[in-house]
Structure formats: structure tokens, C-alpha cells
Amino acid sequence: MPTIDDLPAATAAADTDALMVSQTNSARKVTRAQLLAGLQPAIVVPAGDLLGNGGSTSAGPLPITVGSNLVLAGGTLSATAAPFIISALPVGAAPGSADLVAVSQSGTINAVSYASFANGLAALPAFDTSPLKAKAIGGSISRTLGALFSDVLTIEDFGAVGDGVTDDTAAFLAAVAAGRPLRLGAKTYVINGPVALTNSAFITILGVPGQTTVRRLAQTSGATWISITAPVVHADGVVFDANISLSGAVNAVGIAPSCLRSTFLRCAFINAKGGSGLLYNQSDPVQARHSIVACEAYGNVRGIYCAAADGLIISACHVHDNSVAGVTVDYVDPAYVIKSRLAEIIGNECWNNLVGIQVGDYTTADAVPATIANTTSDAVICLIGSNICHDNAEYGIAAQGYNLLVQSNIVYNNGGTNLNNGGILVNMYSSAVIGNLVTNHLGFGIDAGAANFTQISGNVVTNSRIAINAGGAQEARVIGNAVANASTYGICIYNNETTGGGAPIGVPSLDVSIIDNTIDMPMGGTGIALLDGPQGVQVARNNFITPAANLSMCLIALTDSVLIEGNLLNGSPSLHLYDPGTTTSGQFSGLYSFNYPDILDNVSIMASAAPIQSIRSVNAANYGPYVTFLKLTAGGSGYSAAPTITFSGGGGSGATATAYITNGVVIGYRMASLGSGYTSAPTAIISGGGGSGAAATAFIGIPVPPNRKLRIFCGVPVTWANAGSNPRQLTGSGTLISTPANSDIEWVGLNGGWYASRYEQSDYVLGASDGSVTLRSIAGNLRLHPAGSGVVQWANDSQATGCTTTIGSGLPNGVVSAPVGSDYRNLSGVAGNVYWIKQSGTGSSGWAAIA
């Protein structure tokens, strides 16, 4: 049998070709298709692929594609230069902190969590994220981190440490010079002086309120620690601590004239013990815009000091424990050219300073208003309103200037134990003090000496020695105030006033109005006191509450020039008095006198035993033997010092007085002692002082003021003496008069005495119960005297024309016209033609001689 190799070769093979196989020891044929059935088919692998099983169950080999970043070449599978191509990877979600990042570490590829990877960036010494972009929450576009962070720089960006020890001055100046808003952290930064903060546009400093402190540890020169010269500055939440341990007259923060816009919000200026906490230097007359809001200033000489910078607002600040003033607005310019204007000091609390709020000159000679105008003021058109000033050593508020408004402040417990200090000092003019609550001062409540053309109204002033003082002023208006518990004076007007330093204010009191006030006097003090002869004072429509007080204390008017009208005593317009009496001593000795309360102009008499010879106020009687005031009659000239005043004559002794001069002229006098025992006015002798020509008239007691009206209701018949009266009582007849029961009489002050201007003349015309009238004279003739060619006419209700009685010289026929029944007496006639009767006609004929 031939072998396989002996057989001829087939040309091709097909599935139908038969092959021999042995099956159960028997030879069988099988086709190629049968033979291959069940066997793995031929494996065809595309170029660049691998064989494998990519499924999840057993299966035949499948081609597997070589992925990206891998290369199959020459039977070798290898990676390219990079582990993978990022752009070829599928898009994923935002990485989480636990996601892994492949990194090469020391030649080895490792996986690092995304959180660890991101945190490690901060440790890279030169890693700059400035070019990275971000979009602010709420914004619409993305900006680089460098741009975002440059909106506000921090001082640490320039190397500051902020540990309270390291000198951060250079970093601070560099940060300010960068011209960007500067943010300070809740740290203490050491900035040594002097430093000047300047750039061409603005400075903005933002701190953490109450936690950011800028502190001075050294000062090499200069009068200011931090000077701001930039045109605009804004600071918020910074404590400027000048360091109380450092000596020297240095201001903490100074605003230069070149800075015309500033805002300080929630800042503090502290411990400039030799200067001001915040100082605005003179920039007037340029209009500025400065605001200080919700700040604090303490431990300075002056907390906040504005020296002639116009347009300042100080609001909601706490200013305390400064050695001179909490807030000062003033510039001492002897030429009165540079001024502080348009300041608003509102809603602040000031305590434990020498003066809480000071506007204008306080103790300097510049306070003298030599002329009543804007020209002599250092502060003009300013508002001091709604502040609380308490427990300051001298005054809560001291304001001097022109067109100032002091309104709605609460002023409490200032002045300490000094009786010459107090609540509000207002030596100002053309101004107003309105609606303030002033209480609990041992000295003055409102001291408004020299308040020329100023209104003091609607204030509540309680518990002080002198509630309201408005002396040394021209045309002051004290209107509608409520005064209570004044231990000395409720309202006081001195004719001459002085500055805090004792110099004369410069003008005497003139035309002061005290009207519509309520004065409660439970402490025994005087209600209204007019001292040393103020002129032209009006005391009207005031209500004096004196439940158990001495009525003489309501008004003490030591002047000859006061108009008193319409006042109330305990709400009543009148007071019933009884039993005038005889004076036993003094200049009124032996006179049957009627004394009335000085404040009233409507009183009553219910008993009278003799003709009244003297009508005078209670205090005119009380002060009768004393020299009460000196009235200036000539100012003289050339006085370089106050002249000496002596008194001669008058029967008494002990009176002394002081003269006040301004510009070489005597402007008035103040009584130092009233003396005693005077029965007539002494002569005032003025000598010395380097000048001449000054003269004065001395007054004892209280004279009847001109035009003083007194209405007296007479419940009983009262006789009023004329001859021998003191003060003089003038009547139309020149003789005594009587007023019947239940009638009244009105007396008017005239030439130091009284004139009876209106009364029921029962002495001459007396009505009876039957309706008849008696016309009589007190003594002598009863005269009918028609004027000119007038006649005495007789008429009644039924005969309106009636007839006449006429006298003349000569015959009446053709001369005298009269109705029928008239009579005529010929005063030059003889028997038979003296008495004539008109018998007919209406003209001048029809006369017949009767006798």
C-alpha cells in the first residue's frame, strides 16, 4: 500500500474532500468540513491588535485594540514618552478631594489625592497664581486673581507684620503710595512719626472696627504724628493710638488744607496727650466736605479739633476724657478773616472733658463783640444739635459766634462745683438756643451773656444756681422757657457782662424781652432779676409758680427801664391785697403806703383807712435805703483802665461800684455793694483811669418805670393823695381823688412817679340808684366851659334840639342864633339889657330883653 507521501499532491482542498479516519477500529471516511466542525476556526488578527478575551465569560480569542499612549511594534507593546495624552481621555466631572492625580516622584509615577495635590501648591516658593481667573460671586465676568486682589491691598502685601512691636512704617507708607484701598487686619501696627500720607487722588484705609490699631512708638520731629495731604481720604475701623506714654505737643492725625474731602467712620483717636486726636487745619474759605461718624476720641488735649475747615460734620461720636475739649470748632484769628463755617455737630455724646463741645473763642479777647455783626466772629453758621453733654468740668457746650444754632441737646451735670461754670455757655449773636434740656448744674444752666440778637426759647432748665443768664446783650429774646429749682436766679439780666477771663463783653444790656416763660420757684430763689440798670427790658406774660414763696422774689428789677405786663402768679392774673399801712422809717416814713408785688399789673385793695400817699412795689420798699444801680449818662473818652467810683451824700454809706470800659469809653457799671441807710440818691463821682467825661446817676430803691401800668381794683372806697405823695401821684385835677367801692383805677408810670390815666371820677360825677347823676366839685366852683363859640345846650329824649345858654359882650339881636327858649347873658350890659330870652324864629332875631 502506498504511503501518503507516495500519493500525488492535490491541487486544492475543499470541504467536500474525503479523508480516512479510524472509528471503533474500523476505517471510515470523513469530509474536511466534518473534520473541522467543532474546531476553533482560523484566527485572523488585524495589524497592531492583540488577541484576548475582552468579555466577562469564557470565549474564543478576540482582537483587542491597542489604546492611546501605547504602541505595538515588532511584537513589543510599549508606552510612548508620556504615560497618556490628556486630550485623548474621556471628559470627566469636577475632581473631588479623594480623586487621584498621577505624579512623578523621584522617577516613580505615584497617585496623589486631588486634595493633597491642591494643598501642596501653597508650599511652592515661586508659584504665582495671579494670572489665574475667577469670577466674584454675583459678578458677571471673570478676572485674574491679581486683578481681584488688587481691588484692596493689605499692609502685609508690603511686608508689615502687625505684632505691635515690629516697625511697620515703611510698609504702611508703601501701601498708601500704591494708590489702592488699603485693608488692615485685626492687629496692632507700629507706625512711627512723623509720617505724611499723600498721593494724587485718594487714600482709603479699611480696618476691622475695634480690632485694628495703628500705634506710635516713637516720634523724631514735627507737631503731628500722621499728616494727610491727599485730596481725599476715607478711613474706616481704625484706632489711631498716639501712645499716652510719649511726651510732646503732637497731634495724632492731622488733615492738611490740601485735603478737602474726608470721611472717618468707626475710628478712634486716642492718647495724644499733648495735642488733638484729629485735627483739621485751616482751609477756609474753600468749601470742604468732611465727615466724622461713629468715632471715638479720648486721652487727648482736644478730641476732635476743626481749625477753620468749612463744611464739617461730626455725628454719633463718643468724645470723652480730653483735657481741654471733646469737640472744638474754632480758629483764633485776631483779624477775624479766617473763620469756621457750616459745621454740624449732631448726635454726639461728650463727657469728662473740660468742655464737651466748644465752638468759637471761649476765653480769649477775640470773644468781644465790638460790633454787632459777622465781622467779629471766628465761628459762623454752625449747628450744635441733639448732643448729650454730661459731667464735663466747665461747660457741656460753649458756643461763641454768629448765626449759631444750639438746639435739642441734653446737657447734664457739668461744671463740677464751680458756681461760675455750668451747662451751656452761649456768648453769640444773631443766633438761637432752642429746645434744650439743661439740668443739674451747680452754676449756670444757660449762660447767655452777650447773646446779642439771640433767641433763647423752648428750653427746659432745672436744678441750677442761675437757670438762664442773658445779660450784657442787645435785643436778646428769652421766650417760652420752663425754669425750675434755680437756687439764686431763674432768669438773670446784668447790664454788663464779662468773658470767661473777666474782660468786659463790650455792650450793655438793651431791649431784652423776657416773655411767656414758666418759672417754678420752690427753692426760694429769685424768679427774674434785672441788675445794674439794664435798659428797655420787657417782662411779659410769664407765669411764676410760688406755692409758699415770698412774692417779692418773683421779680427784682433794679432798673428804671422795664415794661411789666400780663404776668401770672400761680396761673392767676391778679392778687387780692388788704390794708395798706403806714411806713415807719426811711424815705417813705410816715406815708400811708400801698405795696404791690413787682411782677403784677393787676391787683386789689379790700381795706383802706386813709388816703394812699405812696404806691410802690414790694421791692421798691425793700430796697429803699440802698443804692441799687448806676445809670450811665456819659461814657467819656480816653480811659486806659477802669476809673474809680465814689459816692457822696444821700444820708447813707457803704455803696461801691465797678466801671467797665471798652475802647477807652465807659460802657456801664456794676454795683459791688449797695450800701445802706440812704434816704436820697447820692452823687456818683468818677475819677482816674486816664480818661475824662464819664458820668452816671445813682438810684436808690426802685423807681417807677416809664409807662408801667398798674390796674387796682378797689373793693372799698379809696382816696388817692396828690400833695405829699412819694412816688408822686398825678391826677387830671391836680388834687386828691377818690374811687368808689367796686371800681378800678389805672396808674401809669410817668417821670419816676404815677399818673392816674383812667378811673371812675365819683368825686365829680356820682351816679345814684335811681339813675340820676350828681355833678359836683370837690372844692370851689363847678364850671361849664364850652370851647370857642360853643354853647351850653339843654336837651332830652323828646327835644333833641332843646335850647342853649350863651354868654357874650353886647346885644344878641342879629348876632347870636339859637332855638326858641334859649337864653343869653350880656356881660357888658346895663339894667334892662343883661338877660335875654329867644322868643321866636331860628336865626339871630327874636331876642327879647327880660332884665
Side-chain angles (χ1 to χ4, degrees):
M1 171 184 282
T3 65
I4 293 175
D5 292 334
D6 293 333
L7 296 176
T11 57
D15 286 341
T16 59
D17 292 345
L19 296 175
M20 184 179 65
V21 296
S22 176
Q23 292 181 336
T24 61
N25 296 321
S26 297
R28 298 281 190 273
K29 69 175 182 178
V30 63
T31 65
R32 188 183 68 173
Q34 290 175 319
L35 180 64
L36 295 178
L39 298 178
Q40 183 173 340
I43 298 175
V44 179
V45 181
D49 287 356
L50 300 174
L51 289 179
N53 181 1
S56 59
T57 60
S58 299
L62 298 173
I64 298 176
T65 302
V66 176
S68 59
N69 298 303
L70 297 175
V71 177
L72 179 61
T76 301
L77 179 64
S78 62
T80 61
F84 48 80
I85 298 174
I86 293 176
S87 62
L89 296 176
V91 177
S97 61
D99 292 347
L100 300 178
V101 178
V103 297
S104 175
Q105 295 177 325
S106 302
T108 301
I109 297 176
N110 294 319
V112 177
S113 70
Y114 181 74
S116 297
F117 179 82
N119 288 335
L121 296 177
L124 299 180
F127 185 71
D128 184 9
T129 62
S130 298
L132 299 181
K133 287 190 173 183
K135 182 171 70 174
I137 295 175
S140 60
I141 62 172
S142 296
R143 295 191 294 156
T144 65
L145 294 179
L148 286 171
F149 288 137
S150 65
D151 289 344
V152 178
L153 301 177
T154 70
I155 190 173
E156 285 80 5
D157 294 334
F158 297 85
V161 178
D163 59 2
V165 177
T166 303
D167 188 348
D168 295 320
T169 306
F172 185 57
L173 292 173
V176 170
R180 298 282 186 174
L182 176 62
R183 184 175 294 281
L184 307 181
K187 303 178 181 179
T188 297
Y189 301 93
V190 174
I191 309 298
N192 292 321
V195 296
L197 307 185
T198 183
N199 59 39
S200 60
F202 59 83
I203 295 173
T204 301
I205 302 174
L206 305 174
V208 180
Q211 300 184 56
T212 297
T213 299
V214 174
R215 179 171 294 155
R216 179 179 65 137
L217 293 185
Q219 178 95 16
T220 58
S221 62
T224 300
W225 168 29
I226 299 175
S227 298
I228 299 176
T229 61
V232 181
V233 62
H234 173 84
D236 184 357
V238 180
V239 177
F240 295 93
D241 183 0
N243 195 343
I244 199 169
S245 65
L246 299 181
S247 60
V250 176
N251 304 302
V253 177
I255 307 299
S258 57
C259 180
L260 297 176
R261 291 178 58 191
S262 70
T263 303
F264 289 93
L265 175 64
R266 299 179 294 185
C267 294
F269 308 92
I270 65 175
N271 296 330
K273 70 177 183 179
S276 298
L278 175 61
L279 169 65
Y280 284 85
N281 289 284
Q282 177 264 319
S283 60
D284 175 71
V286 178
Q287 178 63 44
R289 287 177 287 173
H290 299 302
S291 298
I292 309 165
V293 181
C295 292
E296 187 172 14
Y298 63 87
N300 313 287
V301 175
R302 289 179 170 87
I304 300 171
Y305 186 9
C306 174
D310 299 345
L312 174 71
I313 299 175
I314 305 174
S315 176
C317 294
H318 290 83
V319 190
H320 57 96
D321 295 283
N322 299 283
S323 62
V324 171
V327 174
T328 297
V329 176
D330 179 41
Y331 187 82
V332 180
D333 176 18
Y336 303 108
V337 175
I338 301 170
K339 301 179 183 295
S340 297
R341 312 173 199 264
L342 302 171
E344 298 178 53
I345 306 171
I346 50 179
N348 305 284
E349 184 175 0
C350 305
W351 73 94
N352 207 31
N353 310 282
L354 190 67
V355 178
I357 297 173
Q358 175 192 340
V359 174
D361 295 313
Y362 175 36
T363 58
T364 70
D366 296 334
V368 178
T371 58
I372 311 303
N374 181 20
T375 56
T376 56
S377 172
D378 285 337
V380 299
I381 316 175
C382 298
L383 168 64
I384 306 168
S386 300
N387 302 283
I388 298 177
C389 299
H390 62 93
D391 297 292
N392 297 285
E394 287 191 354
Y395 285 97
I397 297 173
Q400 292 177 305
Y402 178 82
N403 282 175
L404 306 184
L405 176 58
V406 181
Q407 183 172 15
S408 301
N409 301 282
I410 296 177
V411 186
Y412 167 76
N413 198 40
N414 300 281
T417 59
N418 191 328
L419 299 182
N420 292 316
N421 296 330
I424 300 178
L425 173 67
V426 281
N427 299 143
M428 59 193 189
Y429 41 95
S430 294
S431 300
V433 183
I434 300 175
N436 300 281
L437 174 60
V438 185
T439 184
N440 202 47
H441 298 96
L442 293 181
F444 292 91
I446 299 176
D447 187 1
N452 298 297
F453 306 112
T454 290
Q455 180 165 318
I456 304 166
S457 65
N459 302 285
V460 176
V461 188
T462 64
N463 299 318
S464 59
R465 180 175 69 92
I466 299 176
I468 298 175
N469 171 43
Q474 296 186 355
E475 298 187 34
R477 303 288 185 264
V478 184
I479 303 174
N481 301 282
V483 174
N485 294 345
S487 60
T488 302
Y489 302 128
I491 298 173
C492 177
I493 306 294
Y494 276 97
N495 188 45
N496 300 280
E497 275 289 354
T498 61
T499 66
I505 290 294
V507 294
S509 291
L510 179 65
D511 297 334
V512 177
S513 298
I514 306 173
I515 59 178
D516 295 321
N517 302 283
T518 298
I519 305 173
D520 196 347
M521 303 162 50
M523 295 180 64
T526 299
I528 296 176
L530 310 178
L531 306 176
D532 296 314
Q535 298 294 293
V537 182
Q538 180 186 18
V539 180
R541 301 191 304 277
N542 302 284
N543 187 12
F544 295 82
I545 310 300
T546 59
N550 184 345
L551 299 183
S552 67
M553 301 302 289
C554 292
L555 172 65
I556 298 177
L558 305 185
T559 178
D560 64 336
S561 180
V562 58
L563 178 62
I564 303 171
E565 59 184 358
N567 298 285
L568 305 179
L569 185 62
N570 297 324
S572 174
S574 63
L575 177 71
H576 292 278
L577 302 175
Y578 299 89
D579 292 335
T582 300
T583 305
T584 59
S585 63
Q587 60 174 311
F588 304 104
S589 177
L591 298 182
Y592 190 69
S593 301
F594 168 64
N595 296 341
Y596 62 91
D598 296 67
I599 200 58
L600 296 179
D601 50 14
N602 192 25
V603 294
S604 301
I605 292 178
M606 291 303 176
S608 179
I612 294 177
Q613 300 167 281
S614 179
I615 307 170
R616 61 186 188 275
S617 71
V618 172
N619 283 318
N622 292 341
Y623 284 84
Y626 306 107
V627 179
T628 50
F629 64 97
L630 282 174
K631 184 175 181 178
L632 179 73
T633 56
S637 62
Y639 290 95
S640 58
T644 300
I645 302 169
T646 57
F647 295 93
S648 175
S653 63
T656 60
T658 301
Y660 289 94
I661 63 170
T662 297
N663 298 325
V665 177
V666 176
I667 63 170
Y669 309 89
R670 179 174 290 189
M671 295 301 301
S673 171
L674 304 184
S676 63
Y678 291 92
T679 57
S680 63
T683 299
I685 302 171
I686 301 172
S687 61
S692 62
T697 299
F699 285 80
I700 62 170
I702 300 177
V704 179
N707 299 313
R708 170 67 156 105
K709 293 183 179 180
L710 181 67
R711 175 182 173 270
I712 303 175
F713 174 78
C714 302
V716 296
V718 179
T719 299
W720 308 90
N722 185 298
S725 57
N726 184 13
R728 186 178 179 185
Q729 298 170 183
L730 299 177
T731 63
S733 66
T735 62
L736 61 77
I737 58 174
S738 299
T739 50
N742 301 318
S743 66
D744 60 16
I745 180 172
E746 184 174 79
W747 293 92
V748 177
L750 178 66
N751 297 327
W754 295 103
Y755 172 73
S757 66
R758 183 187 59 80
Y759 55 93
E760 185 175 336
Q761 296 182 330
S762 60
D763 295 314
Y764 308 99
V765 180
L766 180 63
S769 60
D770 60 0
S772 63
V773 176
T774 299
L775 178 65
R776 68 186 181 93
S777 64
I778 296 177
N781 299 329
L782 181 64
R783 179 180 299 178
L784 298 178
H785 185 160
S789 60
V791 298
V792 176
Q793 185 172 4
W794 304 88
N796 58 32
D797 292 341
S798 63
Q799 298 292 330
T801 301
C803 63
T804 64
T805 294
T806 313
I807 61 175
S809 295
L811 303 180
N813 278 318
V815 178
V816 179
S817 297
V820 173
S822 299
D823 62 82
Y824 172 82
R825 288 169 174 81
N826 179 9
L827 301 182
S828 63
V830 295
N833 69 356
V834 173
Y835 184 66
W836 296 74
I837 297 294
K838 181 71 180 297
Q839 293 181 334
S840 63
T842 59
S844 59
S845 62
W847 289 97
I850 302 301

